[in-house]
PDB file of all heavy atoms in Angstrom:
ATOM      1  N   PHE A 128      -9.294   2.168 -13.588  1.00 92.00           N
ATOM      2  CA  PHE A 128      -9.121   3.241 -12.600  1.00 92.00           C
ATOM      3  C   PHE A 128      -8.891   2.638 -11.219  1.00 92.00           C
ATOM      4  O   PHE A 128      -7.977   3.035 -10.489  1.00 92.00           O
ATOM      5  CB  PHE A 128     -10.341   4.165 -12.569  1.00 92.00           C
ATOM      6  CG  PHE A 128     -10.191   5.301 -11.591  1.00 92.00           C
ATOM      7  CD1 PHE A 128      -9.577   6.475 -11.975  1.00 92.00           C
ATOM      8  CD2 PHE A 128     -10.639   5.181 -10.284  1.00 92.00           C
ATOM      9  CE1 PHE A 128      -9.416   7.525 -11.077  1.00 92.00           C
ATOM     10  CE2 PHE A 128     -10.479   6.215  -9.372  1.00 92.00           C
ATOM     11  CZ  PHE A 128      -9.875   7.392  -9.769  1.00 92.00           C
ATOM     12  N   GLY A 129      -9.721   1.668 -10.854  1.00 95.00           N
ATOM     13  CA  GLY A 129      -9.552   1.012  -9.563  1.00 95.00           C
ATOM     14  C   GLY A 129      -8.239   0.265  -9.463  1.00 95.00           C
ATOM     15  O   GLY A 129      -7.529   0.362  -8.447  1.00 95.00           O
ATOM     16  N   LEU A 130      -7.873  -0.468 -10.519  1.00 92.00           N
ATOM     17  CA  LEU A 130      -6.612  -1.208 -10.512  1.00 92.00           C
ATOM     18  C   LEU A 130      -5.428  -0.261 -10.361  1.00 92.00           C
ATOM     19  O   LEU A 130      -4.465  -0.560  -9.650  1.00 92.00           O
ATOM     20  CB  LEU A 130      -6.470  -2.022 -11.803  1.00 92.00           C
ATOM     21  CG  LEU A 130      -7.422  -3.202 -11.993  1.00 92.00           C
ATOM     22  CD1 LEU A 130      -7.154  -3.887 -13.327  1.00 92.00           C
ATOM     23  CD2 LEU A 130      -7.318  -4.204 -10.856  1.00 92.00           C
ATOM     24  N   GLY A 131      -5.486   0.880 -11.030  1.00 92.00           N
ATOM     25  CA  GLY A 131      -4.388   1.849 -10.958  1.00 92.00           C
ATOM     26  C   GLY A 131      -4.150   2.335  -9.544  1.00 92.00           C
ATOM     27  O   GLY A 131      -3.006   2.447  -9.093  1.00 92.00           O
ATOM     28  N   ILE A 132      -5.237   2.637  -8.817  1.00 95.00           N
ATOM     29  CA  ILE A 132      -5.097   3.058  -7.416  1.00 95.00           C
ATOM     30  C   ILE A 132      -4.455   1.944  -6.596  1.00 95.00           C
ATOM     31  O   ILE A 132      -3.549   2.175  -5.790  1.00 95.00           O
ATOM     32  CB  ILE A 132      -6.467   3.431  -6.822  1.00 95.00           C
ATOM     33  CG1 ILE A 132      -7.073   4.637  -7.560  1.00 95.00           C
ATOM     34  CG2 ILE A 132      -6.334   3.716  -5.327  1.00 95.00           C
ATOM     35  CD1 ILE A 132      -6.300   5.922  -7.428  1.00 95.00           C
ATOM     36  N   SER A 133      -4.907   0.715  -6.807  1.00 96.00           N
ATOM     37  CA  SER A 133      -4.373  -0.407  -6.021  1.00 96.00           C
ATOM     38  C   SER A 133      -2.906  -0.677  -6.336  1.00 96.00           C
ATOM     39  O   SER A 133      -2.146  -1.112  -5.461  1.00 96.00           O
ATOM     40  CB  SER A 133      -5.202  -1.671  -6.260  1.00 96.00           C
ATOM     41  OG  SER A 133      -4.996  -2.214  -7.553  1.00 96.00           O
ATOM     42  N   TYR A 134      -2.491  -0.419  -7.578  1.00 93.00           N
ATOM     43  CA  TYR A 134      -1.107  -0.677  -7.973  1.00 93.00           C
ATOM     44  C   TYR A 134      -0.110   0.178  -7.194  1.00 93.00           C
ATOM     45  O   TYR A 134       1.076  -0.148  -7.129  1.00 93.00           O
ATOM     46  CB  TYR A 134      -0.920  -0.423  -9.467  1.00 93.00           C
ATOM     47  CG  TYR A 134      -1.514  -1.486 -10.372  1.00 93.00           C
ATOM     48  CD1 TYR A 134      -1.595  -1.282 -11.755  1.00 93.00           C
ATOM     49  CD2 TYR A 134      -1.996  -2.684  -9.865  1.00 93.00           C
ATOM     50  CE1 TYR A 134      -2.125  -2.247 -12.591  1.00 93.00           C
ATOM     51  CE2 TYR A 134      -2.532  -3.646 -10.704  1.00 93.00           C
ATOM     52  CZ  TYR A 134      -2.603  -3.422 -12.065  1.00 93.00           C
ATOM     53  OH  TYR A 134      -3.127  -4.379 -12.882  1.00 93.00           O
ATOM     54  N   SER A 135      -0.581   1.268  -6.612  1.00 94.00           N
ATOM     55  CA  SER A 135       0.329   2.134  -5.852  1.00 94.00           C
ATOM     56  C   SER A 135       0.921   1.424  -4.637  1.00 94.00           C
ATOM     57  O   SER A 135       2.001   1.783  -4.168  1.00 94.00           O
ATOM     58  CB  SER A 135      -0.415   3.390  -5.379  1.00 94.00           C
ATOM     59  OG  SER A 135      -1.426   3.058  -4.434  1.00 94.00           O
ATOM     60  N   MET A 136       0.221   0.409  -4.138  1.00 95.00           N
ATOM     61  CA  MET A 136       0.706  -0.294  -2.943  1.00 95.00           C
ATOM     62  C   MET A 136       1.989  -1.080  -3.227  1.00 95.00           C
ATOM     63  O   MET A 136       2.871  -1.156  -2.366  1.00 95.00           O
ATOM     64  CB  MET A 136      -0.367  -1.253  -2.419  1.00 95.00           C
ATOM     65  CG  MET A 136      -1.606  -0.566  -1.862  1.00 95.00           C
ATOM     66  SD  MET A 136      -2.833  -1.746  -1.255  1.00 95.00           S
ATOM     67  CE  MET A 136      -1.960  -2.463   0.151  1.00 95.00           C
ATOM     68  N   THR A 137       2.101  -1.671  -4.407  1.00 93.00           N
ATOM     69  CA  THR A 137       3.214  -2.588  -4.683  1.00 93.00           C
ATOM     70  C   THR A 137       4.583  -1.907  -4.624  1.00 93.00           C
ATOM     71  O   THR A 137       5.483  -2.403  -3.935  1.00 93.00           O
ATOM     72  CB  THR A 137       2.999  -3.289  -6.030  1.00 93.00           C
ATOM     73  OG1 THR A 137       1.761  -4.019  -5.979  1.00 93.00           O
ATOM     74  CG2 THR A 137       4.134  -4.258  -6.325  1.00 93.00           C
ATOM     75  N   PRO A 138       4.829  -0.792  -5.349  1.00 93.00           N
ATOM     76  CA  PRO A 138       6.162  -0.178  -5.248  1.00 93.00           C
ATOM     77  C   PRO A 138       6.469   0.338  -3.857  1.00 93.00           C
ATOM     78  O   PRO A 138       7.630   0.304  -3.422  1.00 93.00           O
ATOM     79  CB  PRO A 138       6.117   0.959  -6.283  1.00 93.00           C
ATOM     80  CG  PRO A 138       4.677   1.246  -6.497  1.00 93.00           C
ATOM     81  CD  PRO A 138       3.982  -0.081  -6.330  1.00 93.00           C
ATOM     82  N   LEU A 139       5.435   0.803  -3.139  1.00 94.00           N
ATOM     83  CA  LEU A 139       5.664   1.290  -1.773  1.00 94.00           C
ATOM     84  C   LEU A 139       6.060   0.154  -0.835  1.00 94.00           C
ATOM     85  O   LEU A 139       6.985   0.283  -0.031  1.00 94.00           O
ATOM     86  CB  LEU A 139       4.401   1.992  -1.250  1.00 94.00           C
ATOM     87  CG  LEU A 139       4.041   3.315  -1.932  1.00 94.00           C
ATOM     88  CD1 LEU A 139       2.685   3.816  -1.450  1.00 94.00           C
ATOM     89  CD2 LEU A 139       5.120   4.377  -1.670  1.00 94.00           C
ATOM     90  N   VAL A 140       5.354  -0.983  -0.948  1.00 94.00           N
ATOM     91  CA  VAL A 140       5.693  -2.142  -0.122  1.00 94.00           C
ATOM     92  C   VAL A 140       7.063  -2.690  -0.513  1.00 94.00           C
ATOM     93  O   VAL A 140       7.890  -3.017   0.349  1.00 94.00           O
ATOM     94  CB  VAL A 140       4.613  -3.238  -0.251  1.00 94.00           C
ATOM     95  CG1 VAL A 140       5.071  -4.533   0.433  1.00 94.00           C
ATOM     96  CG2 VAL A 140       3.301  -2.772   0.365  1.00 94.00           C
ATOM     97  N   ALA A 141       7.331  -2.781  -1.826  1.00 92.00           N
ATOM     98  CA  ALA A 141       8.610  -3.325  -2.291  1.00 92.00           C
ATOM     99  C   ALA A 141       9.783  -2.469  -1.823  1.00 92.00           C
ATOM    100  O   ALA A 141      10.821  -3.000  -1.386  1.00 92.00           O
ATOM    101  CB  ALA A 141       8.613  -3.430  -3.819  1.00 92.00           C
ATOM    102  N   ARG A 142       9.619  -1.159  -1.897  1.00 92.00           N
ATOM    103  CA  ARG A 142      10.691  -0.263  -1.459  1.00 92.00           C
ATOM    104  C   ARG A 142      10.931  -0.392   0.050  1.00 92.00           C
ATOM    105  O   ARG A 142      12.076  -0.465   0.505  1.00 92.00           O
ATOM    106  CB  ARG A 142      10.338   1.176  -1.810  1.00 92.00           C
ATOM    107  CG  ARG A 142      11.472   2.166  -1.567  1.00 92.00           C
ATOM    108  CD  ARG A 142      11.054   3.559  -1.990  1.00 92.00           C
ATOM    109  NE  ARG A 142      12.120   4.521  -1.792  1.00 92.00           N
ATOM    110  CZ  ARG A 142      11.967   5.837  -1.926  1.00 92.00           C
ATOM    111  NH1 ARG A 142      10.806   6.337  -2.283  1.00 92.00           N
ATOM    112  NH2 ARG A 142      12.988   6.658  -1.723  1.00 92.00           N
ATOM    113  N   ALA A 143       9.822  -0.458   0.829  1.00 92.00           N
ATOM    114  CA  ALA A 143       9.962  -0.635   2.281  1.00 92.00           C
ATOM    115  C   ALA A 143      10.567  -1.990   2.615  1.00 92.00           C
ATOM    116  O   ALA A 143      11.344  -2.126   3.557  1.00 92.00           O
ATOM    117  CB  ALA A 143       8.594  -0.482   2.948  1.00 92.00           C
ATOM    118  N   ASP A 144      10.224  -3.007   1.818  1.00 92.00           N
ATOM    119  CA  ASP A 144      10.791  -4.344   2.031  1.00 92.00           C
ATOM    120  C   ASP A 144      12.297  -4.331   1.769  1.00 92.00           C
ATOM    121  O   ASP A 144      13.073  -4.986   2.471  1.00 92.00           O
ATOM    122  CB  ASP A 144      10.092  -5.350   1.118  1.00 92.00           C
ATOM    123  CG  ASP A 144      10.466  -6.788   1.432  1.00 92.00           C
ATOM    124  OD1 ASP A 144      10.653  -7.119   2.617  1.00 92.00           O
ATOM    125  OD2 ASP A 144      10.585  -7.593   0.479  1.00 92.00           O
ATOM    126  N   GLY A 145      12.720  -3.574   0.748  1.00 89.00           N
ATOM    127  CA  GLY A 145      14.151  -3.448   0.466  1.00 89.00           C
ATOM    128  C   GLY A 145      14.907  -2.808   1.614  1.00 89.00           C
ATOM    129  O   GLY A 145      16.087  -3.093   1.840  1.00 89.00           O
ATOM    130  N   ARG A 146      14.211  -1.962   2.372  1.00 89.00           N
ATOM    131  CA  ARG A 146      14.819  -1.289   3.523  1.00 89.00           C
ATOM    132  C   ARG A 146      14.556  -2.032   4.837  1.00 89.00           C
ATOM    133  O   ARG A 146      14.964  -1.553   5.894  1.00 89.00           O
ATOM    134  CB  ARG A 146      14.266   0.135   3.627  1.00 89.00           C
ATOM    135  CG  ARG A 146      14.653   1.027   2.455  1.00 89.00           C
ATOM    136  CD  ARG A 146      14.006   2.394   2.588  1.00 89.00           C
ATOM    137  NE  ARG A 146      14.472   3.297   1.538  1.00 89.00           N
ATOM    138  CZ  ARG A 146      14.042   4.559   1.380  1.00 89.00           C
ATOM    139  NH1 ARG A 146      13.136   5.044   2.203  1.00 89.00           N
ATOM    140  NH2 ARG A 146      14.518   5.312   0.403  1.00 89.00           N
ATOM    141  N   LYS A 147      13.806  -3.146   4.773  1.00 89.00           N
ATOM    142  CA  LYS A 147      13.449  -3.937   5.958  1.00 89.00           C
ATOM    143  C   LYS A 147      12.645  -3.106   6.968  1.00 89.00           C
ATOM    144  O   LYS A 147      12.760  -3.294   8.183  1.00 89.00           O
ATOM    145  CB  LYS A 147      14.698  -4.506   6.646  1.00 89.00           C
ATOM    146  CG  LYS A 147      15.630  -5.273   5.727  1.00 89.00           C
ATOM    147  CD  LYS A 147      14.958  -6.479   5.116  1.00 89.00           C
ATOM    148  CE  LYS A 147      15.907  -7.248   4.210  1.00 89.00           C
ATOM    149  NZ  LYS A 147      15.231  -8.359   3.492  1.00 89.00           N
ATOM    150  N   ASN A 148      11.785  -2.224   6.442  1.00 92.00           N
ATOM    151  CA  ASN A 148      10.977  -1.351   7.296  1.00 92.00           C
ATOM    152  C   ASN A 148       9.594  -1.989   7.471  1.00 92.00           C
ATOM    153  O   ASN A 148       8.646  -1.701   6.738  1.00 92.00           O
ATOM    154  CB  ASN A 148      10.858   0.033   6.661  1.00 92.00           C
ATOM    155  CG  ASN A 148      10.207   1.052   7.594  1.00 92.00           C
ATOM    156  OD1 ASN A 148       9.519   0.696   8.543  1.00 92.00           O
ATOM    157  ND2 ASN A 148      10.435   2.321   7.323  1.00 92.00           N
ATOM    158  N   HIS A 149       9.446  -2.871   8.465  1.00 89.00           N
ATOM    159  CA  HIS A 149       8.214  -3.627   8.656  1.00 89.00           C
ATOM    160  C   HIS A 149       7.055  -2.751   9.132  1.00 89.00           C
ATOM    161  O   HIS A 149       5.895  -3.030   8.800  1.00 89.00           O
ATOM    162  CB  HIS A 149       8.452  -4.769   9.644  1.00 89.00           C
ATOM    163  CG  HIS A 149       9.499  -5.740   9.194  1.00 89.00           C
ATOM    164  ND1 HIS A 149       9.450  -6.370   7.959  1.00 89.00           N
ATOM    165  CD2 HIS A 149      10.634  -6.189   9.794  1.00 89.00           C
ATOM    166  CE1 HIS A 149      10.502  -7.160   7.827  1.00 89.00           C
ATOM    167  NE2 HIS A 149      11.235  -7.067   8.919  1.00 89.00           N
ATOM    168  N   THR A 150       7.353  -1.719   9.897  1.00 90.00           N
ATOM    169  CA  THR A 150       6.300  -0.811  10.349  1.00 90.00           C
ATOM    170  C   THR A 150       5.650  -0.105   9.167  1.00 90.00           C
ATOM    171  O   THR A 150       4.423   0.005   9.078  1.00 90.00           O
ATOM    172  CB  THR A 150       6.868   0.232  11.330  1.00 90.00           C
ATOM    173  OG1 THR A 150       7.438  -0.439  12.449  1.00 90.00           O
ATOM    174  CG2 THR A 150       5.773   1.180  11.806  1.00 90.00           C
ATOM    175  N   ARG A 151       6.483   0.370   8.266  1.00 91.00           N
ATOM    176  CA  ARG A 151       5.975   1.043   7.061  1.00 91.00           C
ATOM    177  C   ARG A 151       5.117   0.091   6.231  1.00 91.00           C
ATOM    178  O   ARG A 151       4.045   0.465   5.736  1.00 91.00           O
ATOM    179  CB  ARG A 151       7.170   1.535   6.239  1.00 91.00           C
ATOM    180  CG  ARG A 151       6.853   2.051   4.851  1.00 91.00           C
ATOM    181  CD  ARG A 151       6.233   3.412   4.877  1.00 91.00           C
ATOM    182  NE  ARG A 151       6.228   4.007   3.544  1.00 91.00           N
ATOM    183  CZ  ARG A 151       5.451   5.004   3.193  1.00 91.00           C
ATOM    184  NH1 ARG A 151       4.623   5.538   4.067  1.00 91.00           N
ATOM    185  NH2 ARG A 151       5.510   5.504   1.979  1.00 91.00           N
ATOM    186  N   ILE A 152       5.539  -1.155   6.088  1.00 92.00           N
ATOM    187  CA  ILE A 152       4.786  -2.149   5.318  1.00 92.00           C
ATOM    188  C   ILE A 152       3.409  -2.366   5.943  1.00 92.00           C
ATOM    189  O   ILE A 152       2.392  -2.425   5.242  1.00 92.00           O
ATOM    190  CB  ILE A 152       5.564  -3.473   5.243  1.00 92.00           C
ATOM    191  CG1 ILE A 152       6.842  -3.292   4.423  1.00 92.00           C
ATOM    192  CG2 ILE A 152       4.694  -4.575   4.625  1.00 92.00           C
ATOM    193  CD1 ILE A 152       7.778  -4.487   4.482  1.00 92.00           C
ATOM    194  N   ALA A 153       3.363  -2.488   7.291  1.00 92.00           N
ATOM    195  CA  ALA A 153       2.093  -2.716   7.980  1.00 92.00           C
ATOM    196  C   ALA A 153       1.133  -1.548   7.788  1.00 92.00           C
ATOM    197  O   ALA A 153      -0.073  -1.735   7.577  1.00 92.00           O
ATOM    198  CB  ALA A 153       2.354  -2.939   9.466  1.00 92.00           C
ATOM    199  N   LEU A 154       1.648  -0.329   7.830  1.00 93.00           N
ATOM    200  CA  LEU A 154       0.804   0.854   7.644  1.00 93.00           C
ATOM    201  C   LEU A 154       0.275   0.940   6.218  1.00 93.00           C
ATOM    202  O   LEU A 154      -0.850   1.398   5.983  1.00 93.00           O
ATOM    203  CB  LEU A 154       1.592   2.112   8.009  1.00 93.00           C
ATOM    204  CG  LEU A 154       1.935   2.267   9.502  1.00 93.00           C
ATOM    205  CD1 LEU A 154       2.856   3.458   9.714  1.00 93.00           C
ATOM    206  CD2 LEU A 154       0.663   2.411  10.330  1.00 93.00           C
ATOM    207  N   ILE A 155       1.074   0.508   5.264  1.00 94.00           N
ATOM    208  CA  ILE A 155       0.610   0.486   3.868  1.00 94.00           C
ATOM    209  C   ILE A 155      -0.525  -0.514   3.712  1.00 94.00           C
ATOM    210  O   ILE A 155      -1.510  -0.265   3.009  1.00 94.00           O
ATOM    211  CB  ILE A 155       1.778   0.150   2.918  1.00 94.00           C
ATOM    212  CG1 ILE A 155       2.813   1.283   2.927  1.00 94.00           C
ATOM    213  CG2 ILE A 155       1.265  -0.071   1.486  1.00 94.00           C
ATOM    214  CD1 ILE A 155       4.106   0.939   2.217  1.00 94.00           C
ATOM    215  N   LEU A 156      -0.405  -1.678   4.371  1.00 94.00           N
ATOM    216  CA  LEU A 156      -1.473  -2.686   4.308  1.00 94.00           C
ATOM    217  C   LEU A 156      -2.780  -2.122   4.835  1.00 94.00           C
ATOM    218  O   LEU A 156      -3.820  -2.188   4.161  1.00 94.00           O
ATOM    219  CB  LEU A 156      -1.076  -3.926   5.105  1.00 94.00           C
ATOM    220  CG  LEU A 156      -2.199  -4.953   5.345  1.00 94.00           C
ATOM    221  CD1 LEU A 156      -2.742  -5.485   4.032  1.00 94.00           C
ATOM    222  CD2 LEU A 156      -1.708  -6.087   6.231  1.00 94.00           C
ATOM    223  N   LEU A 157      -2.767  -1.571   6.051  1.00 94.00           N
ATOM    224  CA  LEU A 157      -3.992  -1.057   6.664  1.00 94.00           C
ATOM    225  C   LEU A 157      -4.616   0.056   5.831  1.00 94.00           C
ATOM    226  O   LEU A 157      -5.800   0.001   5.473  1.00 94.00           O
ATOM    227  CB  LEU A 157      -3.683  -0.542   8.070  1.00 94.00           C
ATOM    228  CG  LEU A 157      -4.820   0.242   8.761  1.00 94.00           C
ATOM    229  CD1 LEU A 157      -6.025  -0.645   8.988  1.00 94.00           C
ATOM    230  CD2 LEU A 157      -4.331   0.853  10.059  1.00 94.00           C
ATOM    231  N   ASN A 158      -3.832   1.063   5.537  1.00 95.00           N
ATOM    232  CA  ASN A 158      -4.378   2.233   4.839  1.00 95.00           C
ATOM    233  C   ASN A 158      -4.701   1.931   3.384  1.00 95.00           C
ATOM    234  O   ASN A 158      -5.638   2.496   2.822  1.00 95.00           O
ATOM    235  CB  ASN A 158      -3.398   3.396   4.969  1.00 95.00           C
ATOM    236  CG  ASN A 158      -3.325   3.920   6.394  1.00 95.00           C
ATOM    237  OD1 ASN A 158      -4.214   4.632   6.838  1.00 95.00           O
ATOM    238  ND2 ASN A 158      -2.283   3.538   7.130  1.00 95.00           N
ATOM    239  N   GLY A 159      -3.941   1.012   2.785  1.00 95.00           N
ATOM    240  CA  GLY A 159      -4.257   0.594   1.421  1.00 95.00           C
ATOM    241  C   GLY A 159      -5.565  -0.169   1.358  1.00 95.00           C
ATOM    242  O   GLY A 159      -6.358   0.006   0.420  1.00 95.00           O
ATOM    243  N   LEU A 160      -5.822  -1.005   2.343  1.00 96.00           N
ATOM    244  CA  LEU A 160      -7.079  -1.761   2.381  1.00 96.00           C
ATOM    245  C   LEU A 160      -8.275  -0.825   2.528  1.00 96.00           C
ATOM    246  O   LEU A 160      -9.282  -0.964   1.815  1.00 96.00           O
ATOM    247  CB  LEU A 160      -7.034  -2.763   3.536  1.00 96.00           C
ATOM    248  CG  LEU A 160      -8.302  -3.597   3.773  1.00 96.00           C
ATOM    249  CD1 LEU A 160      -8.635  -4.430   2.543  1.00 96.00           C
ATOM    250  CD2 LEU A 160      -8.126  -4.494   4.999  1.00 96.00           C
ATOM    251  N   VAL A 161      -8.170   0.149   3.434  1.00 96.00           N
ATOM    252  CA  VAL A 161      -9.264   1.100   3.625  1.00 96.00           C
ATOM    253  C   VAL A 161      -9.468   1.947   2.372  1.00 96.00           C
ATOM    254  O   VAL A 161     -10.607   2.135   1.899  1.00 96.00           O
ATOM    255  CB  VAL A 161      -8.983   2.009   4.843  1.00 96.00           C
ATOM    256  CG1 VAL A 161     -10.023   3.125   4.940  1.00 96.00           C
ATOM    257  CG2 VAL A 161      -8.983   1.179   6.119  1.00 96.00           C
ATOM    258  N   LEU A 162      -8.374   2.458   1.807  1.00 97.00           N
ATOM    259  CA  LEU A 162      -8.480   3.294   0.613  1.00 97.00           C
ATOM    260  C   LEU A 162      -9.096   2.530  -0.548  1.00 97.00           C
ATOM    261  O   LEU A 162      -9.998   3.029  -1.231  1.00 97.00           O
ATOM    262  CB  LEU A 162      -7.097   3.813   0.221  1.00 97.00           C
ATOM    263  CG  LEU A 162      -7.034   4.626  -1.068  1.00 97.00           C
ATOM    264  CD1 LEU A 162      -7.844   5.908  -0.957  1.00 97.00           C
ATOM    265  CD2 LEU A 162      -5.582   4.951  -1.440  1.00 97.00           C
ATOM    266  N   ASN A 163      -8.642   1.300  -0.779  1.00 97.00           N
ATOM    267  CA  ASN A 163      -9.166   0.506  -1.893  1.00 97.00           C
ATOM    268  C   ASN A 163     -10.648   0.203  -1.726  1.00 97.00           C
ATOM    269  O   ASN A 163     -11.411   0.249  -2.698  1.00 97.00           O
ATOM    270  CB  ASN A 163      -8.371  -0.793  -2.022  1.00 97.00           C
ATOM    271  CG  ASN A 163      -7.099  -0.620  -2.823  1.00 97.00           C
ATOM    272  OD1 ASN A 163      -7.062  -0.872  -4.012  1.00 97.00           O
ATOM    273  ND2 ASN A 163      -6.038  -0.173  -2.166  1.00 97.00           N
ATOM    274  N   THR A 164     -11.058  -0.103  -0.502  1.00 97.00           N
ATOM    275  CA  THR A 164     -12.478  -0.382  -0.259  1.00 97.00           C
ATOM    276  C   THR A 164     -13.328   0.850  -0.537  1.00 97.00           C
ATOM    277  O   THR A 164     -14.383   0.769  -1.178  1.00 97.00           O
ATOM    278  CB  THR A 164     -12.691  -0.851   1.192  1.00 97.00           C
ATOM    279  OG1 THR A 164     -11.878  -2.006   1.444  1.00 97.00           O
ATOM    280  CG2 THR A 164     -14.152  -1.216   1.425  1.00 97.00           C
ATOM    281  N   LEU A 165     -12.870   2.002  -0.060  1.00 97.00           N
ATOM    282  CA  LEU A 165     -13.607   3.249  -0.299  1.00 97.00           C
ATOM    283  C   LEU A 165     -13.688   3.567  -1.786  1.00 97.00           C
ATOM    284  O   LEU A 165     -14.740   4.005  -2.285  1.00 97.00           O
ATOM    285  CB  LEU A 165     -12.936   4.406   0.446  1.00 97.00           C
ATOM    286  CG  LEU A 165     -13.020   4.369   1.983  1.00 97.00           C
ATOM    287  CD1 LEU A 165     -12.193   5.505   2.583  1.00 97.00           C
ATOM    288  CD2 LEU A 165     -14.471   4.454   2.445  1.00 97.00           C
ATOM    289  N   ILE A 166     -12.609   3.346  -2.504  1.00 97.00           N
ATOM    290  CA  ILE A 166     -12.604   3.587  -3.956  1.00 97.00           C
ATOM    291  C   ILE A 166     -13.592   2.655  -4.651  1.00 97.00           C
ATOM    292  O   ILE A 166     -14.322   3.069  -5.564  1.00 97.00           O
ATOM    293  CB  ILE A 166     -11.185   3.400  -4.536  1.00 97.00           C
ATOM    294  CG1 ILE A 166     -10.248   4.500  -4.038  1.00 97.00           C
ATOM    295  CG2 ILE A 166     -11.219   3.368  -6.069  1.00 97.00           C
ATOM    296  CD1 ILE A 166     -10.560   5.879  -4.559  1.00 97.00           C
ATOM    297  N   GLY A 167     -13.633   1.390  -4.234  1.00 97.00           N
ATOM    298  CA  GLY A 167     -14.566   0.430  -4.832  1.00 97.00           C
ATOM    299  C   GLY A 167     -16.012   0.864  -4.649  1.00 97.00           C
ATOM    300  O   GLY A 167     -16.811   0.812  -5.601  1.00 97.00           O
ATOM    301  N   VAL A 168     -16.374   1.289  -3.430  1.00 97.00           N
ATOM    302  CA  VAL A 168     -17.737   1.750  -3.167  1.00 97.00           C
ATOM    303  C   VAL A 168     -18.042   3.009  -3.971  1.00 97.00           C
ATOM    304  O   VAL A 168     -19.122   3.145  -4.571  1.00 97.00           O
ATOM    305  CB  VAL A 168     -17.928   2.020  -1.653  1.00 97.00           C
ATOM    306  CG1 VAL A 168     -19.281   2.668  -1.388  1.00 97.00           C
ATOM    307  CG2 VAL A 168     -17.796   0.717  -0.863  1.00 97.00           C
TER     308      VAL A 168
END
């Protein structure tokens, strides 16, 4: 269950990387880190 939530970050980052959208990638990192930590707890 936890791994599945975390896997959502990869296609989002990959798609943004394909578009060279660095702002979007940075926001995924921050919010993904917070979301994953909350899910773990």
Side-chain angles (χ1 to χ4, degrees):
F128 181 87
L130 291 179
I132 297 296
S133 72
Y134 286 170
S135 66
M136 293 180 66
T137 301
L139 292 173
V140 171
R142 188 178 181 189
D144 189 36
R146 295 177 175 178
K147 308 299 181 186
N148 189 340
H149 300 306
T150 301
R151 170 76 167 161
I152 293 171
L154 292 173
I155 293 170
L156 169 60
L157 170 64
N158 291 283
L160 177 60
V161 172
L162 176 64
N163 276 265
T164 303
L165 291 174
I166 292 292
V168 173

